[in-house]
Amino acid sequence: MMHHFLGVDVGGTNTRLLLMDDAGNFSGYRKVATAGWAQHGDPLAALGDLIAGCRQDRPLAQVMLGLPGILSRDRTAVLSLPFIPALDGRPVAALLAELLGVPVRMDKDVNHLLWWDLQQLSALPQVAVGLYLGTGMGNSLWLDGDFYHGAHGAAGELGHIPWPGHQGACPCGKRGCVESLTSGHWLTGWARQNAAATPFAQLFERHGEHPELRHFVERLAQAIAIEMNILDPQRLILGGGVIAMAGFPLARLEQQIRRHLRGPQPAQGLAISVSRITDETGCKGACLAARRHFQPTREHRQ
């Protein structure tokens, strides 16, 4: 019997859905506005309806959700999802499974990005880190052959380490977080004040040598180096919309990361590569994660 897996990548702006069969063939990609279901009176039921509409009459073996928030360590409940607070504190996976009649799992969306990127390597590393810089700072930790969630499910919040001397407000509700100085959100504000006539996509092409943008890259390098010196991974994968911007100084970023690394290790042993993220990467990674965790029931095995 052919199994089908549905990957759901929930973002603040868009929700993306994709089907995959046992052989790894993808189909049925769909992108919808997250507000279309998240602002519904019952967002969980609306999400269930959205997923049900993407089944294409195929029996689903498992659904995997990728969410940009804090999840419980066992990945059964949402602890904090700022743009859909109605889901906070709820056992979302179990409730959706009940609505759909299909097993549902969930994880941080950034873990699905890293899982896709790790699958593109010739061999899985034992220790790897993904840093995906978009509106915020996504951070995924692959330690000793599995994703690391921490004692409470909140591991990998690199963007929320306190930055010395900084007291600016962060969207997380705290003050002084490095993400409030080193993210797409900060870049948008800087561009509005300093380069309003420049299309955002060309910001680094036209203004990459501006001292404040050079400091932006240096802050990013220092934050990443802190984590590299603590975890000593074999590989660092850099990705996200900011990293992919035209003219982004990748070579300078790598040079500055390495300048802050402890020698001889991890300075000499760390491999750094760049993710080639597309619109579909998050839900592709979710599909692969669904297949990875799938445990056939007697019904599926018959």
Side-chain angles (χ1 to χ4, degrees):
M1 176 182 175
M2 177 71 76
H3 297 131
H4 289 86
F5 306 93
L6 182 67
V8 185
D9 182 38
V10 177
T13 302
N14 293 303
T15 296
R16 300 168 174 87
L17 305 96
L18 187 67
L19 282 164
M20 185 186 80
D21 64 24
D22 272 333
N25 299 309
F26 296 105
S27 64
Y29 175 67
R30 187 177 175 193
K31 180 167 75 171
V32 302
T34 297
W37 63 268
Q39 294 180 6
H40 190 273
D42 185 346
L44 198 63
L47 178 58
D49 289 341
L50 176 63
I51 292 171
C54 292
R55 298 175 72 152
Q56 299 182 355
D57 297 324
R58 296 172 183 172
L60 291 180
Q62 188 149 267
V63 174
M64 177 65 81
L65 295 180
L67 297 169
I70 305 297
L71 308 181
S72 61
R73 187 177 189 275
D74 62 5
R75 287 350 206 192
T76 62
V78 170
L79 301 184
S80 173
L81 193 58
F83 63 93
I84 318 177
L87 299 185
D88 287 359
R90 303 186 69 187
V92 169
L95 293 173
L96 268 180
E98 185 177 350
L99 284 172
L100 296 167
V102 173
V104 176
R105 298 180 69 107
M106 60 186 185
D107 201 351
K108 281 187 3 178
D109 55 347
V110 71
N111 287 348
H112 294 153
L113 294 177
L114 182 58
W115 185 236
W116 172 262
D117 283 333
L118 291 177
Q119 295 301 300
Q120 311 314 304
L121 302 176
S122 58
L124 278 177
Q126 277 295 108
V127 181
V129 171
L131 194 290
Y132 299 90
L133 194 65
T135 303
M137 187 183 286
N139 189 206
S140 178
L141 308 178
W142 174 261
L143 304 182
D144 293 328
D146 206 350
F147 288 102
Y148 180 69
H149 302 318
H152 309 98
E157 291 295 311
L158 181 63
H160 301 286
I161 61 172
W163 197 251
H166 176 55
Q167 290 298 318
C170 179
C172 78
K174 302 292 185 182
R175 288 189 170 273
C177 297
V178 67
E179 183 173 293
S180 64
L181 283 174
T182 309
S183 62
H185 180 75
W186 182 91
L187 280 176
T188 300
W190 187 90
R192 189 183 305 117
Q193 294 182 14
N194 299 279
T198 301
F200 185 73
Q202 299 174 20
L203 192 64
F204 282 99
E205 275 187 315
R206 296 191 184 183
H207 306 286
E209 293 305 310
H210 190 287
E212 291 183 1
L213 292 188
R214 290 182 68 93
H215 289 323
F216 173 92
V217 175
E218 173 64 16
R219 285 194 299 273
L220 177 60
Q222 290 174 351
I224 292 172
I226 288 170
E227 191 167 70
M228 298 303 98
N229 282 324
I230 292 171
L231 297 179
D232 183 24
Q234 292 158 278
R235 181 173 294 271
L236 166 66
I237 299 179
L238 300 170
V242 173
I243 301 291
M245 289 173 70
F248 184 86
L250 267 170
R252 187 195 312 157
L253 174 63
E254 178 173 348
Q255 180 184 44
Q256 291 178 347
I257 290 171
R258 293 191 183 282
R259 182 162 57 87
H260 293 297
L261 296 184
R262 176 75 162 86
Q265 299 294 355
Q268 294 178 11
L270 179 65
I272 300 177
S273 56
V274 178
S275 172
R276 302 302 177 188
I277 289 179
T278 69
D279 248 16
E280 299 179 14
T281 300
C283 43
K284 282 183 174 179
C287 286
L288 294 179
R291 184 173 65 180
R292 176 184 179 222
H293 291 292
F294 177 56
Q295 296 178 336
T297 62
R298 176 180 297 180
E299 179 181 342
H300 282 124
R301 288 193 293 265
Q302 289 175 347

Coordinates of all heavy atoms in Angstrom, one line a residue, residues 11-92:
G11 N 3.6 29.8 8.4 CA 4.4 31.0 8.6 C 3.4 32.1 9.1 O 2.2 32.0 9.0
G12 N 4.0 33.2 9.5 CA 3.2 34.3 9.9 C 2.4 34.9 8.8 O 1.3 35.5 9.0
T13 N 2.9 34.8 7.5 CA 2.2 35.4 6.4 C 1.5 34.3 5.6 O 0.3 34.4 5.3 CB 3.2 36.1 5.5 OG1 3.9 37.1 6.2 CG2 2.5 36.7 4.3
N14 N 2.2 33.2 5.3 CA 1.6 32.2 4.4 C 1.7 30.8 5.1 O 2.7 30.5 5.9 CB 2.3 32.1 3.1 CG 2.1 33.3 2.2 OD1 0.9 33.7 2.0 ND2 3.2 34.0 1.8
T15 N 0.8 29.9 4.8 CA 0.8 28.5 5.1 C 1.0 27.7 3.8 O 0.3 27.9 2.9 CB -0.4 28.1 5.8 OG1 -0.5 28.8 7.1 CG2 -0.4 26.6 6.2
R16 N 2.0 26.8 3.8 CA 2.3 26.0 2.6 C 2.0 24.6 2.9 O 2.4 24.1 4.0 CB 3.7 26.3 2.2 CG 4.0 27.7 1.8 CD 5.5 28.0 1.7 NE 5.8 29.3 1.2 CZ 5.9 30.4 2.0 NH1 5.8 30.2 3.3 NH2 6.2 31.6 1.5
L17 N 1.4 23.9 2.0 CA 1.1 22.5 2.2 C 1.6 21.7 1.0 O 1.5 22.2 -0.2 CB -0.4 22.3 2.3 CG -1.1 23.1 3.4 CD1 -1.7 24.3 2.9 CD2 -2.2 22.3 4.1
L18 N 2.1 20.4 1.2 CA 2.6 19.6 0.1 C 2.5 18.1 0.5 O 2.6 17.7 1.6 CB 4.1 19.9 0.0 CG 4.9 19.3 -1.2 CD1 4.4 19.9 -2.5 CD2 6.4 19.6 -1.1
L19 N 2.1 17.3 -0.5 CA 2.0 15.9 -0.4 C 3.3 15.2 -0.9 O 3.9 15.7 -1.8 CB 0.8 15.4 -1.2 CG -0.6 15.6 -0.6 CD1 -1.6 15.3 -1.8 CD2 -0.8 14.6 0.5
M20 N 3.6 14.1 -0.2 CA 4.7 13.3 -0.7 C 4.3 11.8 -0.5 O 3.7 11.4 0.5 CB 6.0 13.6 0.2 CG 7.2 12.8 -0.3 SD 8.6 13.0 0.8 CE 8.2 11.9 2.1
D21 N 4.7 11.0 -1.5 CA 4.4 9.5 -1.4 C 5.7 8.8 -0.9 O 6.7 9.4 -0.6 CB 4.0 8.9 -2.7 CG 5.0 9.0 -3.8 OD1 6.2 9.1 -3.5 OD2 4.6 9.0 -5.0
D22 N 5.5 7.5 -0.7 CA 6.6 6.7 -0.1 C 7.9 6.8 -0.9 O 9.0 6.7 -0.3 CB 6.2 5.2 -0.2 CG 5.5 4.8 1.1 OD1 5.7 5.4 2.1 OD2 4.7 3.8 1.0
A23 N 7.8 7.0 -2.2 CA 9.0 7.1 -3.0 C 9.7 8.5 -3.0 O 10.7 8.7 -3.7 CB 8.6 6.7 -4.5
G24 N 9.1 9.4 -2.3 CA 9.6 10.8 -2.2 C 9.2 11.7 -3.4 O 9.8 12.7 -3.6
N25 N 8.1 11.3 -4.0 CA 7.6 12.2 -5.1 C 6.6 13.2 -4.5 O 5.7 12.8 -3.7 CB 6.8 11.3 -6.1 CG 7.7 10.3 -6.8 OD1 8.8 10.7 -7.3 ND2 7.3 9.1 -6.8
F26 N 6.8 14.5 -4.8 CA 6.0 15.6 -4.3 C 4.9 15.9 -5.2 O 5.1 15.9 -6.4 CB 6.9 16.8 -4.0 CG 7.9 16.5 -2.9 CD1 9.3 16.4 -3.2 CD2 7.6 16.5 -1.6 CE1 10.2 16.2 -2.3 CE2 8.5 16.3 -0.6 CZ 9.8 16.1 -0.9
S27 N 3.8 16.4 -4.7 CA 2.7 16.8 -5.5 C 1.7 17.7 -4.7 O 1.8 17.7 -3.5 CB 1.9 15.6 -6.1 OG 1.3 14.9 -5.0
G28 N 0.9 18.4 -5.4 CA -0.2 19.2 -4.7 C 0.2 20.3 -3.9 O -0.5 20.7 -2.9
Y29 N 1.3 21.0 -4.3 CA 1.8 22.2 -3.5 C 0.7 23.2 -3.5 O 0.1 23.6 -4.5 CB 3.0 22.7 -4.1 CG 3.5 24.0 -3.4 CD1 3.9 24.0 -2.1 CD2 3.5 25.2 -4.1 CE1 4.4 25.1 -1.5 CE2 3.9 26.4 -3.5 CZ 4.4 26.3 -2.2 OH 4.8 27.5 -1.5
R30 N 0.5 23.8 -2.3 CA -0.5 24.9 -2.2 C 0.0 25.9 -1.2 O 0.6 25.5 -0.1 CB -1.9 24.2 -1.7 CG -3.0 25.2 -1.7 CD -4.3 24.5 -1.2 NE -5.4 25.5 -1.1 CZ -6.5 25.2 -0.5 NH1 -6.8 24.0 -0.1 NH2 -7.5 26.1 -0.4
K31 N -0.2 27.1 -1.5 CA 0.1 28.2 -0.6 C -1.1 29.1 -0.3 O -1.7 29.6 -1.3 CB 1.3 29.1 -1.1 CG 1.7 30.2 -0.2 CD 3.0 30.8 -0.6 CE 2.9 31.7 -1.9 NZ 4.2 32.4 -2.1
V32 N -1.4 29.3 0.9 CA -2.6 30.2 1.3 C -2.2 31.2 2.4 O -1.2 31.0 3.1 CB -3.8 29.3 1.8 CG1 -4.2 28.3 0.8 CG2 -3.4 28.6 3.1
A33 N -2.9 32.2 2.5 CA -2.6 33.2 3.5 C -3.0 32.6 4.9 O -4.1 32.1 5.1 CB -3.5 34.5 3.3
T34 N -2.0 32.7 5.8 CA -2.2 32.2 7.1 C -3.4 32.9 7.8 O -4.2 32.2 8.5 CB -1.0 32.4 8.0 OG1 0.1 31.6 7.4 CG2 -1.2 31.9 9.4
A35 N -3.6 34.2 7.6 CA -4.7 34.9 8.2 C -6.1 34.3 7.8 O -7.0 34.4 8.6 CB -4.7 36.3 7.8
G36 N -6.1 33.6 6.7 CA -7.4 33.1 6.2 C -7.9 32.0 7.1 O -9.2 31.8 7.2
W37 N -7.1 31.3 7.8 CA -7.6 30.3 8.8 C -7.2 30.7 10.2 O -8.0 30.4 11.2 CB -7.0 28.9 8.5 CG -5.5 28.8 8.6 CD1 -4.6 28.9 7.6 CD2 -4.8 28.5 9.8 NE1 -3.3 28.7 8.1 CE2 -3.4 28.5 9.5 CE3 -5.1 28.2 11.2 CZ2 -2.4 28.2 10.4 CZ3 -4.1 28.0 12.1 CH2 -2.7 28.0 11.7
A38 N -6.1 31.4 10.5 CA -5.7 31.7 11.8 C -6.6 32.8 12.5 O -6.7 32.8 13.7 CB -4.3 32.3 11.8
Q39 N -7.3 33.6 11.7 CA -8.2 34.6 12.3 C -9.6 34.1 12.3 O -10.5 34.9 12.7 CB -8.1 35.9 11.4 CG -6.7 36.6 11.5 CD -6.6 37.8 10.7 OE1 -7.6 38.3 10.2 NE2 -5.4 38.4 10.7
H40 N -9.8 32.9 12.0 CA -11.1 32.3 12.1 C -11.5 32.1 13.6 O -10.7 32.1 14.5 CB -11.1 30.9 11.5 CG -12.4 30.2 11.3 ND1 -13.0 29.5 12.3 CD2 -13.3 30.2 10.3 CE1 -14.2 29.0 11.9 NE2 -14.4 29.4 10.7
G41 N -12.8 32.1 13.9 CA -13.3 32.0 15.3 C -12.7 30.8 16.0 O -12.4 30.8 17.2
D42 N -12.6 29.7 15.2 CA -11.9 28.4 15.7 C -10.8 28.1 14.8 O -11.0 27.3 13.8 CB -13.0 27.3 15.7 CG -12.4 26.0 16.4 OD1 -11.2 25.9 16.5 OD2 -13.2 25.1 16.7
P43 N -9.6 28.6 15.0 CA -8.5 28.4 14.0 C -8.1 27.0 13.9 O -7.7 26.6 12.8 CB -7.4 29.3 14.6 CG -7.7 29.5 16.0 CD -9.2 29.5 16.1
L44 N -8.2 26.2 14.9 CA -7.9 24.8 14.8 C -8.8 24.0 13.9 O -8.3 23.3 13.0 CB -7.9 24.1 16.2 CG -7.2 22.8 16.4 CD1 -5.7 23.0 16.1 CD2 -7.4 22.2 17.7
A45 N -10.1 24.3 14.0 CA -11.0 23.7 13.0 C -10.8 24.1 11.6 O -10.9 23.4 10.7 CB -12.5 24.0 13.5
A46 N -10.4 25.4 11.5 CA -10.2 26.0 10.1 C -8.9 25.4 9.5 O -8.9 25.1 8.3 CB -10.0 27.5 10.2
L47 N -7.9 25.1 10.4 CA -6.7 24.5 9.9 C -7.0 23.0 9.5 O -6.5 22.5 8.5 CB -5.6 24.5 10.9 CG -4.3 23.8 10.6 CD1 -3.7 24.4 9.3 CD2 -3.3 23.9 11.8
G48 N -7.8 22.4 10.3 CA -8.2 21.0 9.9 C -9.0 21.0 8.6 O -8.7 20.1 7.8
D49 N -9.8 21.9 8.3 CA -10.5 22.0 7.1 C -9.6 22.2 5.9 O -9.7 21.6 4.8 CB -11.6 23.1 7.1 CG -12.8 22.8 8.0 OD1 -13.0 21.6 8.3 OD2 -13.5 23.7 8.3
L50 N -8.6 23.1 6.1 CA -7.6 23.3 5.1 C -6.8 22.1 4.8 O -6.6 21.7 3.6 CB -6.6 24.4 5.6 CG -5.4 24.8 4.7 CD1 -5.9 25.3 3.3 CD2 -4.5 25.8 5.4
I51 N -6.4 21.4 5.8 CA -5.6 20.1 5.6 C -6.5 19.1 4.9 O -6.0 18.4 3.9 CB -5.1 19.6 6.9 CG1 -4.0 20.5 7.5 CG2 -4.5 18.2 6.8 CD1 -3.6 20.2 8.9
A52 N -7.7 18.9 5.3 CA -8.6 18.0 4.7 C -8.8 18.3 3.2 O -8.9 17.3 2.4 CB -9.9 18.0 5.4
G53 N -8.8 19.5 2.9 CA -9.0 19.9 1.5 C -7.8 19.6 0.6 O -7.9 19.7 -0.6
C54 N -6.7 19.4 1.2 CA -5.5 19.1 0.4 C -5.2 17.6 0.3 O -4.1 17.2 -0.3 CB -4.3 19.8 1.1 SG -4.3 21.6 1.0
R55 N -6.0 16.8 0.8 CA -5.8 15.3 0.8 C -5.8 14.7 -0.6 O -5.2 13.7 -0.9 CB -6.7 14.6 1.7 CG -6.7 15.0 3.1 CD -7.7 14.3 4.0 NE -7.5 12.9 4.2 CZ -7.9 12.3 5.3 NH1 -8.5 12.9 6.2 NH2 -7.6 11.0 5.4
Q56 N -6.6 15.4 -1.5 CA -6.8 14.9 -2.9 C -7.3 13.5 -2.9 O -6.9 12.7 -3.8 CB -5.5 15.1 -3.7 CG -5.0 16.5 -3.8 CD -3.8 16.6 -4.6 OE1 -3.2 15.6 -5.1 NE2 -3.3 17.9 -4.9
D57 N -8.2 13.1 -2.0 CA -8.8 11.8 -1.9 C -7.7 10.7 -1.7 O -7.9 9.5 -2.0 CB -9.6 11.5 -3.2 CG -10.8 12.4 -3.3 OD1 -11.4 12.8 -2.3 OD2 -11.1 12.8 -4.5
R58 N -6.5 11.1 -1.2 CA -5.5 10.1 -0.9 C -5.5 9.8 0.5 O -5.6 10.7 1.4 CB -4.1 10.6 -1.4 CG -4.1 10.8 -2.9 CD -2.8 11.5 -3.3 NE -2.7 11.7 -4.7 CZ -1.8 12.5 -5.3 NH1 -0.8 13.0 -4.6 NH2 -1.8 12.7 -6.6
P59 N -5.3 8.5 0.9 CA -5.3 8.2 2.3 C -3.9 8.7 2.9 O -2.9 8.3 2.5 CB -5.3 6.6 2.3 CG -4.9 6.2 1.0 CD -5.3 7.3 0.0
L60 N -4.0 9.5 3.9 CA -2.8 10.1 4.5 C -2.3 9.1 5.6 O -3.1 8.7 6.5 CB -3.1 11.4 5.1 CG -3.4 12.6 4.1 CD1 -3.6 13.9 4.9 CD2 -2.2 12.8 3.2
A61 N -1.0 8.8 5.6 CA -0.4 8.1 6.7 C -0.1 8.9 7.9 O -0.2 8.5 9.0 CB 0.8 7.4 6.1
Q62 N 0.3 10.2 7.6 CA 0.7 11.1 8.7 C 0.8 12.5 8.2 O 1.1 12.8 7.0 CB 2.0 10.7 9.3 CG 2.4 11.4 10.5 CD 3.3 10.6 11.5 OE1 2.8 10.0 12.4 NE2 4.6 10.6 11.2
V63 N 0.4 13.4 9.1 CA 0.5 14.9 8.8 C 1.6 15.4 9.7 O 1.7 15.0 10.9 CB -0.8 15.6 9.1 CG1 -0.6 17.1 9.0 CG2 -1.9 15.1 8.1
M64 N 2.5 16.3 9.2 CA 3.5 16.9 10.0 C 3.3 18.4 9.9 O 3.4 19.0 8.8 CB 4.9 16.5 9.5 CG 6.0 17.2 10.3 SD 6.1 16.8 12.1 CE 7.0 15.2 12.0
L65 N 3.2 19.1 11.0 CA 3.1 20.6 11.1 C 4.4 21.2 11.5 O 5.1 20.7 12.4 CB 2.1 21.0 12.2 CG 0.6 20.7 12.1 CD1 -0.1 21.2 13.3 CD2 0.1 21.3 10.8
G66 N 4.8 22.2 10.8 CA 5.9 23.0 11.2 C 5.4 24.4 11.7 O 4.8 25.1 11.0
L67 N 5.7 24.7 13.0 CA 5.2 25.9 13.6 C 6.3 26.8 14.1 O 7.3 26.4 14.7 CB 4.3 25.6 14.7 CG 3.1 24.8 14.4 CD1 2.4 24.3 15.7 CD2 2.1 25.6 13.6
P68 N 6.2 28.2 13.8 CA 7.3 29.1 14.3 C 7.1 29.6 15.7 O 6.9 30.8 15.9 CB 7.1 30.2 13.3 CG 5.7 30.3 12.9 CD 5.2 28.8 13.0
G69 N 7.1 28.7 16.6 CA 6.9 29.1 18.0 C 7.5 28.1 19.0 O 8.4 27.3 18.6
I70 N 7.2 28.2 20.2 CA 7.7 27.3 21.3 C 6.7 26.1 21.5 O 5.6 26.4 21.8 CB 8.0 28.0 22.6 CG1 8.9 29.3 22.4 CG2 8.6 27.1 23.6 CD1 10.2 28.9 21.9
L71 N 7.2 24.9 21.4 CA 6.4 23.7 21.6 C 6.9 23.0 22.8 O 8.0 23.1 23.2 CB 6.5 22.8 20.3 CG 6.3 23.4 19.0 CD1 6.4 22.4 17.9 CD2 4.9 24.1 18.9
S72 N 6.0 22.1 23.3 CA 6.4 21.3 24.5 C 7.5 20.4 24.1 O 7.7 20.1 22.9 CB 5.2 20.5 25.0 OG 4.7 19.7 24.0
R73 N 8.3 19.9 25.0 CA 9.4 19.0 24.8 C 9.0 17.8 24.0 O 9.7 17.3 23.1 CB 10.1 18.6 26.0 CG 11.4 17.9 25.8 CD 12.1 17.6 27.2 NE 13.4 17.0 27.0 CZ 13.7 15.7 26.8 NH1 12.7 14.9 26.7 NH2 15.0 15.4 26.6
D74 N 7.8 17.2 24.3 CA 7.3 16.0 23.6 C 6.6 16.4 22.3 O 6.1 15.5 21.6 CB 6.4 15.2 24.5 CG 5.2 15.9 24.9 OD1 4.9 17.1 24.4 OD2 4.4 15.4 25.7
R75 N 6.6 17.6 22.0 CA 6.0 18.1 20.7 C 4.6 17.8 20.5 O 4.1 17.6 19.4 CB 6.8 17.5 19.5 CG 8.2 18.0 19.2 CD 8.6 19.2 19.9 NE 9.6 20.0 19.2 CZ 10.3 21.0 19.8 NH1 10.1 21.3 21.1 NH2 11.2 21.7 19.1
T76 N 3.8 17.8 21.6 CA 2.4 17.5 21.5 C 1.5 18.8 21.7 O 0.4 18.9 21.3 CB 1.9 16.5 22.6 OG1 2.2 17.0 23.9 CG2 2.6 15.2 22.4
A77 N 2.1 19.8 22.4 CA 1.4 21.0 22.7 C 2.1 22.3 22.3 O 3.4 22.3 22.2 CB 1.1 21.1 24.2
V78 N 1.4 23.3 21.9 CA 1.9 24.6 21.6 C 2.0 25.4 22.9 O 1.1 25.5 23.7 CB 1.0 25.4 20.6 CG1 1.5 26.8 20.5 CG2 1.0 24.7 19.2
L79 N 3.2 25.9 23.2 CA 3.4 26.7 24.4 C 3.3 28.2 24.1 O 2.7 28.9 24.9 CB 4.8 26.4 25.0 CG 5.1 25.0 25.5 CD1 6.4 24.9 26.1 CD2 4.0 24.5 26.4
S80 N 3.8 28.6 22.9 CA 3.7 30.0 22.6 C 3.8 30.2 21.1 O 4.8 29.8 20.5 CB 4.8 30.8 23.2 OG 4.9 32.2 22.8
L81 N 2.7 30.6 20.5 CA 2.7 30.9 19.0 C 2.1 32.3 18.9 O 0.9 32.5 18.8 CB 1.8 29.9 18.3 CG 1.9 29.9 16.8 CD1 3.3 29.6 16.3 CD2 0.9 28.8 16.3
P82 N 3.0 33.4 18.9 CA 2.5 34.8 19.1 C 1.5 35.2 18.2 O 0.6 36.0 18.6 CB 3.8 35.6 19.0 CG 4.9 34.6 19.4 CD 4.5 33.3 18.9
F83 N 1.5 34.8 16.9 CA 0.5 35.3 16.0 C -0.8 34.5 15.9 O -1.7 34.9 15.2 CB 1.1 35.5 14.6 CG 1.5 34.2 13.9 CD1 0.7 33.5 13.1 CD2 2.8 33.7 14.1 CE1 1.1 32.3 12.5 CE2 3.2 32.5 13.5 CZ 2.3 31.8 12.7
I84 N -0.8 33.4 16.7 CA -2.1 32.6 16.8 C -2.2 32.3 18.3 O -2.1 31.1 18.6 CB -2.1 31.4 15.9 CG1 -1.5 31.6 14.5 CG2 -3.6 30.9 15.8 CD1 -1.5 30.4 13.6
P85 N -2.4 33.2 19.2 CA -2.5 33.0 20.6 C -3.6 32.0 21.0 O -3.5 31.4 22.1 CB -2.7 34.3 21.2 CG -3.2 35.2 20.1 CD -2.6 34.7 18.9
A86 N -4.6 31.8 20.1 CA -5.7 30.9 20.5 C -5.2 29.5 20.6 O -5.9 28.6 21.1 CB -6.8 31.0 19.4
L87 N -4.0 29.2 20.0 CA -3.5 27.8 20.0 C -2.5 27.6 21.2 O -2.2 26.5 21.5 CB -2.7 27.5 18.8 CG -3.5 27.5 17.5 CD1 -2.6 27.1 16.3 CD2 -4.8 26.7 17.6
D88 N -2.2 28.7 22.0 CA -1.3 28.5 23.1 C -1.8 27.6 24.2 O -3.0 27.7 24.5 CB -1.0 29.9 23.7 CG 0.0 30.7 22.8 OD1 0.4 30.3 21.7 OD2 0.3 31.9 23.2
G89 N -1.0 26.7 24.7 CA -1.4 25.8 25.7 C -2.3 24.7 25.3 O -2.8 24.0 26.2
R90 N -2.5 24.5 24.0 CA -3.4 23.5 23.6 C -2.6 22.3 22.9 O -1.6 22.5 22.3 CB -4.4 24.0 22.5 CG -5.2 25.2 23.1 CD -6.3 25.6 22.1 NE -7.3 24.7 21.9 CZ -8.3 24.7 21.0 NH1 -8.3 25.8 20.2 NH2 -9.2 23.8 21.0
P91 N -3.2 21.1 23.1 CA -2.5 19.9 22.5 C -2.9 19.8 21.1 O -3.7 18.9 20.6 CB -3.1 18.7 23.4 CG -4.5 19.2 23.8 CD -4.3 20.7 24.0
V92 N -2.3 20.6 20.3 CA -2.7 20.8 18.9 C -2.6 19.5 18.1 O -3.5 19.2 17.3 CB -1.9 22.0 18.2 CG1 -2.1 22.0 16.7 CG2 -2.2 23.3 18.9

